Amino acid sequence: MTNQLDTKSQAWSALFSEPMSELVQRYTASVFFDQRLWQADIEGSLAHAAMLAAQGIISQADLADIRHGMAQIRQEIESGAFEWRLDLEDVHLNIEARLTRLVGDAGKRLHTGRSRNDQVATDVRLWLRGEIDTLLALLADLQRALLDVAEPNAAVILPGFTHLQVAQPVSFGHHLLAYVEMFSRDAERLADVRRRTNRLPLGSAALAGTSYPLDREQVALTLGMVDDQGRPQLCRNSLDAVSDRDFAIEFTAAASLCMVHISRLSEELILWMSQNFGFIRIADRFTTGSSIMPQKKNPDVPELARGKTGRVVGHLMGLITLMKGQPLAYNKDNQEDKEPLFDTVDTLKDTLRIFCEMVGGQLNPATGAKEGGITVNAQAMEDAAKKGYATATDLADYLVKKGLPFRDAHETVAHAVKAATSHNCDLSELPLAVLQGFHPAIDNDVYHCLSLRGSLEARNTLGGTAPAQVKAQIVRHRARLA
Ligand code: ARG
């Protein structure tokens, strides 16, 4: 005979006159995706049980039984021996039922003063907090990987674009540092989301609080739900506590923005490694061949990252829409928060991991150096910067320094560019006499300012592309990430 106590139709039970159909069970169950919350679920239950015992609501003997049973469950889950049951609906009921089988009445007392509503909200927050910490470490790694490529390339010149038209020469290091800025903002956002995630719903029970004398602050302290000063952080309205999923939405929004940054970087990597640019190579293991065209090496990893960005942004839309019509307090709709949230974490984590390696390479334990990151073709970059009159602004600035109003200088240079275009040459290749035909103030010193390097070095304002500025920013970033 099966143990009637741990079949769900019996769990809340005497009221129900018929069992659930298999289809309804599958439709309502979450155990096959929410089982990944098991560690948080056990951690939350142990904190709750310790507090119940400290408050005299359950006995010390019950607490000891619960701890003992949970230790065994932990081991069963880790070893794969735990039997997850669909009829027990979710991770919470699966673990509780197993506990009761193992330790009897103590297991049945665990749920005193608690509901699955505050339980699941606590579990998701605990789990997400841990994932945010992993993501913050990965974001720091990716920033370091970008700095490692930026540093030796601070003086390497490539064309900077606006409208994807050659605009002005920029340093390749400077270009990469733009992404370091984006990822540093992503880290700031995640750290901020973490503060609002790390608050305790437990103790709110189903929706209204509970009549047992719980010590919620104690539970928050046990679970590390504390602020910078170590003060316990509690959700302070029981209705909001059980129904709030803002933290999940905020997280997914921050993750979406981070994926958008990854996607923009991907698009550039894809362009740069195309034959028409030839600026960089990425290691073969991040590319695939074609089944028909033997010459192909396709940038599958950046392309997929660009594609997966759509999927994460989709999860943000899903989660925010999930909440829009819900009355207070908990509704079963909220069970639908998990798959988008989990997939967002998985996608972002894998993407960041792979980008750390693709950009910065892999550590060779023998040499202690990183190998196999982005390979830069500095010559191709510089050659490309020579096309498209990237130093035209520098000639205008030169004339301004000789006393021309900027608008007149701009017009004068437009004529010079037109002439150079018709001669099919760069501005720096026009003889001095020809340049002087556009304005008599032009002198021999013009050729320095028409050179790519002169142009780059001239942009020496804070945040500008001059190699000296780029190096200063690298120093600042390294200190920030240390
Ligand atoms: N599996 C549920 C969820 O993910 C747990 C909470 C269930 N609460 C309830 N009242 N049915 O949201």
Side-chain angles (χ1 to χ4, degrees):
M1 202 181 90
T2 60
N3 182 343
Q4 295 290 308
L5 275 177
D6 58 12
T7 71
K8 201 184 118 201
S9 56
Q10 297 294 312
W12 36 83
S13 121
L15 195 60
F16 290 77
S17 55
E18 57 176 12
M20 263 185 191
S21 74
E22 161 73 18
L23 176 61
V24 175
Q25 268 190 21
R26 266 198 295 114
Y27 196 73
T28 56
S30 52
V31 64
F32 290 118
F33 51 83
D34 69 13
Q35 57 179 262
R36 79 156 76 188
L37 297 174
W38 70 268
Q39 278 162 308
D41 196 67
I42 291 177
E43 197 188 343
S45 286
L46 289 175
H48 181 67
M51 180 274 296
L52 290 179
Q55 297 296 98
I57 301 167
I58 63 171
S59 69
Q60 289 297 332
D62 283 338
L63 175 60
D65 284 350
I66 289 169
R67 284 184 170 149
H68 192 246
M70 285 301 195
Q72 165 144 4
I73 290 172
R74 195 188 290 275
Q75 198 202 322
E76 287 176 3
I77 297 175
E78 271 166 0
S79 71
F82 192 90
E83 189 204 343
W84 295 101
R85 284 172 41 181
L86 185 75
D87 61 317
L88 287 169
E89 194 177 307
D90 58 23
V91 60
H92 323 292
L93 292 178
N94 267 271
I95 290 179
E96 193 188 325
R98 179 69 186 138
L99 182 70
T100 298
R101 264 177 111 104
L102 287 170
V103 304
D105 282 354
K108 294 190 212 158
R109 293 200 179 97
L110 171 63
H111 212 51
T112 312
R114 184 175 79 166
S115 152
R116 273 188 301 155
N117 298 350
D118 56 345
Q119 184 179 359
V120 68
T122 303
D123 289 3
V124 175
R125 283 169 184 264
L126 282 175
W127 171 82
L128 184 58
R129 181 183 72 182
E131 296 295 340
I132 289 175
D133 289 342
T134 303
L135 288 166
L136 284 170
L138 286 170
L139 275 170
D141 285 348
L142 179 54
Q143 290 177 73
R144 283 190 208 102
L146 286 162
L147 291 175
D148 288 345
V149 184
E151 194 155 10
N153 290 294
V156 167
I157 296 175
L158 82 164
F161 297 106
T162 59
H163 316 270
L164 207 56
Q165 305 284 313
V166 171
Q168 293 175 354
V170 295
S171 133
F172 184 56
H174 190 58
H175 197 116
L176 294 180
L177 291 193
Y179 288 97
V180 175
E181 295 287 339
M182 294 180 225
F183 294 125
S184 78
R185 289 196 298 274
D186 290 327
E188 282 176 33
R189 264 184 288 274
L190 280 185
D192 193 44
V193 175
R194 189 191 191 280
R195 288 195 304 115
R196 279 180 296 282
T197 302
N198 199 27
R199 289 179 189 161
L200 182 75
L202 211 61
S204 304
L207 76 166
T210 170
S211 57
Y212 297 96
L214 304 188
D215 182 350
R216 296 189 61 210
E217 296 200 335
Q218 186 52 51
V219 178
L221 288 172
T222 309
L223 294 174
M225 290 181 143
V226 294
D227 67 6
D228 298 342
Q229 271 94 57
R231 289 175 302 213
Q233 298 298 296
L234 305 178
C235 301
R236 292 181 181 274
N237 178 294
S238 59
L239 294 165
D240 180 49
V242 295
S243 60
D244 170 38
R245 295 295 182 272
D246 289 1
F247 65 94
I249 294 172
E250 282 186 62
F251 170 79
T252 312
S256 296
L257 204 39
C258 183
M259 285 299 294
V260 166
H261 298 149
I262 291 270
S263 186
R264 295 180 69 185
L265 176 57
S266 297
E267 172 66 9
E268 302 220 79
L269 296 176
I270 294 162
L271 283 174
W272 289 342
M273 64 185 284
S274 78
Q275 286 77 3
N276 297 327
F277 282 74
F279 289 1
I280 61 159
R281 277 191 301 109
I282 59 174
D284 280 358
R285 63 185 182 283
F286 301 107
T287 65
T288 60
S290 156
S291 53
I292 172 170
M293 296 166 283
Q295 86 282 15
K296 296 274 277 178
K297 257 186 211 169
N298 296 326
D300 285 28
V301 166
E303 287 175 286
L304 269 173
R306 192 176 55 186
K308 284 175 192 286
T309 302
R311 161 173 171 166
V312 171
V313 173
H315 292 325
L316 169 61
M317 294 306 120
L319 276 177
I320 204 159
T321 310
L322 175 68
M323 298 310 293
K324 73 174 269 296
Q326 286 196 50
L328 289 176
Y330 175 87
N331 301 283
K332 186 77 167 183
D333 312 41
N334 282 351
Q335 184 166 289
E336 288 287 307
D337 65 355
K338 290 177 194 61
E339 286 160 294
L341 189 59
F342 294 168
D343 189 66
T344 297
V345 166
D346 292 344
T347 306
L348 184 56
K349 216 159 53 174
D350 283 352
T351 305
L352 289 175
R353 275 192 187 126
I354 213 163
F355 266 65
C356 285
E357 195 189 319
M358 190 170 68
V359 170
Q362 229 179 358
L363 197 68
N364 178 339
T367 62
K370 283 204 170 174
E371 289 167 5
I374 289 177
T375 316
V376 176
N377 185 342
Q379 195 57 51
M381 288 188 185
E382 189 158 339
D383 290 347
K386 284 184 186 140
K387 295 176 201 147
Y389 306 101
T391 58
T393 314
D394 296 270
L395 180 55
D397 291 341
Y398 171 91
L399 289 169
V400 168
K401 282 168 200 150
K402 300 268 173 178
L404 262 74
F406 182 76
R407 280 294 156 224
D408 293 343
H410 184 279
E411 188 57 19
T412 302
V413 176
H415 287 296
V417 169
K418 203 168 173 185
T421 312
S422 72
H423 287 95
N424 204 15
C425 71
D426 184 49
L427 285 172
S428 63
E429 289 162 346
L430 292 173
L432 185 60
V434 174
L435 284 169
Q436 281 172 334
F438 298 108
H439 201 282
I442 296 177
D443 216 339
N444 231 325
D445 58 353
V446 75
Y447 291 106
H448 176 69
C449 97
L450 286 178
S451 76
L452 293 175
R453 204 145 298 279
S455 167
L456 197 75
E457 274 155 15
R459 282 164 175 70
N460 201 16
T461 41
L462 196 152
T465 194
Q469 292 297 330
V470 175
K471 283 177 191 145
Q473 292 301 325
I474 291 172
V475 169
R476 179 180 68 83
H477 286 302
R478 291 231 190 262
R480 181 174 62 73
L481 291 165

